[in-house]
Amino acid sequence: MRLASSAITIAVLVLGFAAIAQQVGPGSDQPPSSAPNPPPSTPPSANQPQVDESALRYFASQGDTRRVNAEIARLRALYPNWTPPSDLSQLSSGPAVAVDPIIERLWNLYKEDRIAEVRAAIAERQSTDPNWKPPEELVTALDTVEARRRLTNASDSSQWRTVLTVATENPNLLTCVNVDVLWRVAEAFAKTDQTSRSRDVYTYLLTNCGNPGERLATLQKALTILPENQVADLLQFERKTGETPDNFDSIREELARRRVERASNDDKTTATAEDLAVVERMIRNTNEPGPVLVLAWYNYHHGNPARGLELFKTALDRNGGNKAAEGYAMSLRALERIAEAEAFAYDWRDKAPENMKVYLDVATALLTQDPPPRLETRVVSRIVPVVSSQRFPDGAQALGWYSYNTSQFQTAREWFRLALEWRPEDEPSAYGLALSTQRLNDRAGFNAVVAQWRDRSERIADLADGATPARPGQPRAQVVQPAQTVPQAPMRSVPVQAEAPRVVVERSAVEVEPTMRVATAATGSTSGRRNCIMTRSADGMAPDAALTLGWCLMDANRPMEAVNAFDQAIRRGSSRIREEAAYGKSLAYLRKNLTSEAAVAAAQAPQTSQRRVELSASILGQRALAAYRDGRYVETILALSERARIVPEQNDLMLIRGWSYYKLGRYKDAERIFRAVQRTGFSEEASVGLNAVLEASIPNRQ
Amino acid sequence: MRIFAKRGLLLPCLLAGLLSIASSMSSAQNLSVQPLNVAGTLSSGEWEAYRSKFIEDNGRVVDNANGNISHSEGQGYGLLLALAANDRASFEKIWNFVFTELLIRDDGLIAWKWDPGAKPRVSDRNNATDGDILIAYALAKAGTAWNEPRYTTAAQKLAASIGKHTFGRNGGIVFLLPGAEGFNAGDRPDGPVINISYWVFEAFPVLAGLAPQYEWNRVWKEGVTLLQQATSGRVRLPADWLSIQSRMQTKPADGFPPEFGYNSLRIPLYLLRAGMTDLEWLRALKLRWSAENEGVAVVNVVTGNVRERLTDQGYAILSAALACALDGTPVPDTLKTFDPQLYYPSTLYLMTKSWLGEKHPQCV
């Protein structure tokens, strides 16, 4: 019932517009108020009261020159483009008619906007003289003013249907004299889900109404209501010629700014050079921080944190506040100026929740840098109370690793416990706790962690089984650390993808390291490590010395030089040494992410079956990651499947598999994988994936 | 009766309660609303004193005890009193204010609160059903009295909106919601919540004539039943705001003081104006309100304690009107001169005087 009647309302209203548009007709270039005036005897028709001249005509007919002039002045003030009708003098020259004095009083009250009193005087007069009728023009004028008031009040109170009803019942309101009414009607259409009707109103206005200020304001209103492409369509009505040409440049700029703003939060959307130039110009032409921030975020999210940093600095100088500070800290972090980022973010941490989040992330990143940094006590001791008061589990875990790496095992144990208290499912913290308790010979503590976690965490189970005992001076923590993906501000899924390769490289190192160390110990001299830093070239070395040098360089994390050393060992060495060296060379390439080189190297000498499996698994893992990085998801899954045939798939690679399915739109498979990961304790990353799947597959379920 | 047969073990008091409901229902069936003329029942001197104090040139009726706000109730009383004083000009102004400032809701009801210091000045766009009824009733009466179709048409539209949006249903009963939103079952835990003083009984037959598709007759009778139920306790006074979740056992609504307060003071006035003088409760109230007892007061309906005695002549005349209607006692001379100070008691004073003037001129 309601729907039907409102549909009728709209139909009527649109017809009204059409009628009005026709009335104004081809002379639409002129301001409507200078349209030909109706003959004096005709009461203003519903379609023509552009400027209400009824009072003026009345005074003219009375020959009241003083009032005529006063009214002309008043109307001129209201409507600058208006010109008085030329036929006024004819009116006053007519035969003098005896005039009812109340009429003049009514018009005067009307002019002073005392509408209720006009109505009251009419009612009073009619109560003594039932046959008396007020002038038709006055009644129309009163109806119009009342309708405008009701429409305005209804609009101020968001009573949109009333707005549309009043407009429909009073089509004479819908003219260029009442631009504000037209704007409100357009808004009412939008608020009742009829934006195409809103666009019709704006189009009507821009086609017919002449005041350049109002025309520009119309587009500004449209910007708050219409989709941007529709606003852009309205720009075609810009009048470039005539006495008062339009200048809609500010609207174009705003549209460009919005496009850049949208792209600024989405690294997959690029803004055009023209749009970027517009924003650059806005930055130069104002002292506002707004456009600076837009461009700053754009640069930050499009691989240019250095430019982002500059712009955030400018925004800060322009009182850009919390958002500018947030971006500044994030840019510093992206530029790996983490210590500066921490110091800066610290000062802003209490300004807004976002600033606190950035601070916690940056502080966590600072603590978990690889290699572990030596931090000033001052810095650590200001991080501690913030992490505590915010109960931030990642921060607690990071403080745990930091303490562990600086041999403060008791402190480490406490931080890992706190992290677990704040996030009971945090496997890395449980692992840290296991290591710390082990180092402290805290058997009860160690057993408690193991009892709770051995079914959920393979590495904790391994610790308990003594498979990989942690060694003094070689804290596993350093190796594991990068697995703690530090959440980055805008998108939770980014870290998983971006960090995963690193995780895998280091994990594969974990897998092979014990063997490697045994090999080093068996073949190398203990002085090798000290000396290799100074050695320039392996050329001419004895094979076993070259092999030792290779491992030493690997230890020093100089894999490309290690490759040279291993090459020397392969060229000259015995089969045992060749095997060892080929293995080392493969590892070196793997560390540099050179997967195919690693595969070639592995083939240079026969390997033991155990090593063959290790190397193949690592190579296939790397290959999968490289494919994933390049967006070749089918190949990613093929490589992972091949790898899964020889070794069990670890969680981080399962995540990669899940994301590949996701990218291929195979949401069911992705969901299955993420659920599997979730069950093994990597709940957070898996949840990110599950959420993404859920979000992506919602439209299909509806 | 089937219910009684099923449960043989009803507590005697509950049984008594049910019986009293049954009897009050029958008395509601026997009552009827007597029409009033309204027009021409108020002296121009008293009206002029009221008009010049509370009504602005734009037709706004100002509640000077409430931050000079205006509300639909005040506009409704203003219209009725202007009609009573035969002041067409003022009626037109007050209506003009209602029409342009308050009659803006999408559902055709009237926004209840207008605050000159707020932006937008309609500071609460909810309706208050008593205001809607008073305005519709005044428009209907004026349309007839002055033969003005604009008023009748407006009354008709408003009456239809009232019937459509403010008649609540609970089981088999139909009652008046104090507002279109926020009071019904489901809107609040103790809903439905009602306010008996929103039943302007005299208006119901008139509005029924304008919007006969709605059940006005059942609604006003339900008002009487609920009043009798709410006054059946020890203190015998209804709370202003009542939860009728259990119709057999109305109770003060949550979040409101359990008081017979400024709202409910109007109930006897509305009953008298509607000619419903047969209700036994009015006798009990007259006794309580008499000068020898506590007089007109705000009373806690649970404890019976008086919170505030109300001595303004606008409240005192309510008691005098009861005495006049029930015993023919003349209104004391001290109440005969109108000295308007505050909007609300002054309004009650004129509403009472207008009715006395029409029905009991001998008392004044």
Side-chain angles (χ1 to χ4, degrees), chain B residues 79-90:
Chain B
L79 288 171
L80 264 182
L81 295 174
L83 173 66
N86 250 329
D87 179 353
R88 284 192 69 171
S90 293

Side-chain angles (χ1 to χ4, degrees), chain A residues 146 150 153 157 159 162, chain B residues 96 99-100 103-104 106 125:
Chain A
E146 287 169 0
R150 290 192 69 210
N153 288 326
S157 287
Q159 300 297 297
T162 303
Chain B
N96 195 261
F99 180 64
T100 56
L103 189 58
I104 58 169
D106 283 348
R125 70 177 86 122

Side-chain angles (χ1 to χ4, degrees), chain A residues 56 73 79 169 309 318 374 397 429 462 554 565 629 663:
Chain A
L56 179 65
Y79 313 108
E169 288 167 358
L309 187 73
R318 293 185 181 187
R374 275 276 158 209
Q397 194 202 118
S429 294
D462 287 349
M554 284 292 280
R629 269 197 300 274
K663 297 280 186 186

Side-chain angles (χ1 to χ4, degrees), chain A residues 50-346:
Chain A
Q50 308 290 2
V51 170
D52 183 358
E53 295 168 353
S54 44
L56 179 65
R57 290 179 178 286
Y58 173 74
F59 296 135
S61 75
Q62 303 305 304
D64 186 340
T65 322
R66 191 177 56 81
R67 286 217 161 77
V68 165
N69 290 335
E71 180 67 359
I72 286 175
R74 186 181 76 91
L75 290 174
R76 276 206 170 117
L78 277 176
Y79 313 108
N81 294 324
W82 176 80
T83 47
S86 52
D87 54 4
L88 285 178
S89 52
Q90 294 163 25
L91 282 173
S92 56
S93 63
V97 184
V99 172
D100 191 340
I102 190 183
I103 305 284
E104 185 178 342
R105 188 162 73 82
L106 293 179
W107 278 117
N108 283 333
L109 286 170
Y110 170 79
K111 261 175 31 183
E112 291 165 18
D113 211 25
R114 293 158 68 179
I115 302 302
E117 289 166 78
V118 183
R119 288 284 190 199
I122 293 173
E124 199 163 33
R125 173 64 188 264
Q126 284 178 325
S127 69
T128 55
D129 180 359
N131 293 323
W132 182 85
K133 280 202 164 40
E136 195 69 31
E137 298 164 356
L138 179 63
V139 175
T140 309
L142 289 173
D143 286 346
T144 307
V145 173
E146 287 169 0
R148 190 170 59 219
R149 283 191 188 170
R150 290 192 69 210
L151 187 145
T152 306
N153 288 326
S155 154
D156 285 345
S157 287
S158 310
Q159 300 297 297
W160 309 113
R161 272 206 296 275
T162 303
V163 171
L164 295 177
T165 310
V166 174
T168 309
E169 288 167 358
N170 299 273
N172 53 340
L173 267 182
L174 308 177
T175 66
C176 297
V177 182
N178 298 310
V179 169
D180 180 64
V181 166
L182 292 171
W183 289 334
R184 288 171 187 272
V185 169
E187 187 182 9
F189 275 131
K191 294 291 163 91
T192 50
D193 295 328
Q194 307 168 80
T195 37
S196 67
R197 296 283 165 251
S198 311
R199 191 186 50 192
D200 293 345
V201 177
Y202 295 131
T203 304
Y204 165 80
L205 218 153
L206 292 168
T207 314
N208 297 293
C209 306
N211 181 310
E214 289 172 349
R215 293 169 59 78
L216 180 59
T218 299
L219 279 158
Q220 284 159 354
K221 297 269 178 194
L223 271 173
T224 64
I225 282 178
L226 293 185
E228 278 146 34
N229 58 336
Q230 293 188 12
V231 180
D233 282 349
L234 292 176
L235 291 170
Q236 64 177 292
F237 296 107
E238 184 173 31
R239 292 176 180 170
K240 302 237 167 68
T241 54
E243 264 180 49
T244 51
D246 290 326
N247 184 352
F248 291 168
D249 285 349
S250 59
I251 305 298
R252 284 191 190 85
E253 285 179 359
E254 172 59 15
L255 288 170
R257 192 197 64 79
R258 288 190 187 185
R259 283 190 293 266
V260 176
E261 186 173 38
R262 244 192 327 275
S264 75
N265 295 316
D266 176 6
D267 56 5
K268 292 187 185 55
T269 312
T270 11
T272 63
E274 290 83 15
D275 285 353
L276 290 168
V278 168
V279 178
E280 294 273 13
R281 199 166 60 237
M282 290 172 99
I283 291 174
R284 283 195 303 276
N285 293 344
T286 69
N287 282 321
E288 295 297 312
V292 189
L293 279 171
V294 167
L295 200 61
W297 285 114
Y298 184 85
N299 276 283
Y300 175 83
H301 284 298
H302 290 78
N304 196 350
R307 175 81 177 119
L309 187 73
E310 283 171 25
L311 287 161
F312 283 124
K313 176 76 177 61
T314 310
L316 279 169
D317 294 343
R318 293 185 181 187
N319 294 321
N322 308 341
K323 283 309 273 181
E326 184 190 350
Y328 190 77
M330 286 168 72
S331 301
L332 280 175
R333 193 199 150 165
L335 293 165
E336 303 201 8
R337 290 157 63 180
I338 299 178
E340 281 171 79
E342 190 273 339
F344 176 84
Y346 182 78

Side-chain angles (χ1 to χ4, degrees), chain B residues 25 32 36 47 79 100-101 127 136 149 171 174 189-190 194 243-244 259 262 267 274 286 308 322 325 328 342 346 355:
Chain B
M25 277 164 101
S32 64
L36 283 175
W47 166 244
L79 288 171
T100 56
E101 297 292 320
N127 76 305
V174 192
D190 61 342
I194 56 141
S243 162
I244 58 163
E259 282 179 350
Y262 290 94
I267 299 171
K286 189 200 69 160
E308 189 183 358
L322 265 182
L342 296 175
S346 303
W355 171 73

Side-chain angles (χ1 to χ4, degrees), chain A residues 285-572:
Chain A
N285 293 344
T286 69
N287 282 321
E288 295 297 312
V292 189
L293 279 171
V294 167
L295 200 61
W297 285 114
Y298 184 85
N299 276 283
Y300 175 83
H301 284 298
H302 290 78
N304 196 350
R307 175 81 177 119
L309 187 73
E310 283 171 25
L311 287 161
F312 283 124
K313 176 76 177 61
T314 310
L316 279 169
D317 294 343
R318 293 185 181 187
N319 294 321
N322 308 341
K323 283 309 273 181
E326 184 190 350
Y328 190 77
M330 286 168 72
S331 301
L332 280 175
R333 193 199 150 165
L335 293 165
E336 303 201 8
R337 290 157 63 180
I338 299 178
E340 281 171 79
E342 190 273 339
F344 176 84
Y346 182 78
D347 291 336
W348 284 84
R349 70 192 186 287
D350 288 330
K351 297 291 191 292
E354 293 76 26
N355 297 94
M356 176 58 85
K357 186 177 173 344
V358 169
Y359 176 68
L360 289 169
D361 289 350
V362 166
T364 305
L366 183 70
L367 292 165
T368 53
Q369 281 177 101
D370 185 20
R374 275 276 158 209
L375 298 177
E376 289 176 54
T377 322
R378 181 173 59 87
V379 173
V380 178
S381 55
R382 76 182 170 205
I383 294 175
V384 167
V386 186
V387 167
S388 300
S389 66
Q390 298 292 314
R391 303 172 71 81
F392 183 60
D394 289 337
Q397 194 202 118
L399 284 163
W401 292 122
Y402 183 80
S403 310
Y404 190 95
N405 289 333
T406 49
S407 301
Q408 306 169 66
F409 301 113
Q410 283 188 358
T411 315
R413 181 174 60 186
E414 294 319 305
W415 280 115
F416 288 128
R417 281 199 173 127
L418 267 180
L420 280 169
E421 188 187 316
W422 296 337
R423 190 164 62 210
E425 295 309 308
D426 194 28
E427 192 269 353
S429 294
Y431 184 61
L433 181 59
L435 289 173
S436 311
T437 48
Q438 199 179 43
R439 288 298 303 261
L440 290 165
N441 276 328
D442 168 9
R443 274 175 198 282
F446 181 77
N447 290 339
V449 189
V450 169
Q452 217 184 339
W453 283 89
R454 72 178 310 147
D455 295 338
R456 284 184 281 168
S457 164
E458 203 176 322
R459 52 181 175 169
I460 292 177
D462 287 349
L463 271 187
D465 298 342
T468 51
R471 290 175 215 164
Q474 273 298 312
R476 321 278 304 156
Q478 285 185 36
V479 181
V480 176
Q481 244 172 288
Q484 314 349 303
T485 53
V486 178
Q488 286 176 359
M491 274 187 288
R492 295 288 293 142
S493 57
V494 168
V496 174
Q497 298 166 23
E499 297 268 347
R502 226 174 132 208
V503 174
V504 174
V505 175
E506 300 295 344
R507 285 271 166 83
S508 56
V510 172
E511 283 167 15
V512 295
E513 241 174 353
T515 332
M516 176 182 104
R517 305 227 157 269
V518 173
T520 314
T523 56
S525 65
T526 44
S527 60
R529 173 170 302 200
R530 274 202 305 279
N531 294 340
C532 75
I533 312 295
M534 312 292 291
T535 309
R536 284 209 180 148
S537 167
D539 290 351
M541 271 191 181
D544 58 347
L547 184 62
T548 305
L549 176 63
W551 287 123
C552 173
L553 287 165
M554 284 292 280
D555 268 2
N557 202 16
R558 292 155 68 181
M560 292 324 283
E561 293 160 77
V563 166
N564 283 337
F566 288 128
D567 271 337
Q568 174 69 7
I570 291 170
R571 275 196 293 276
R572 311 259 309 268

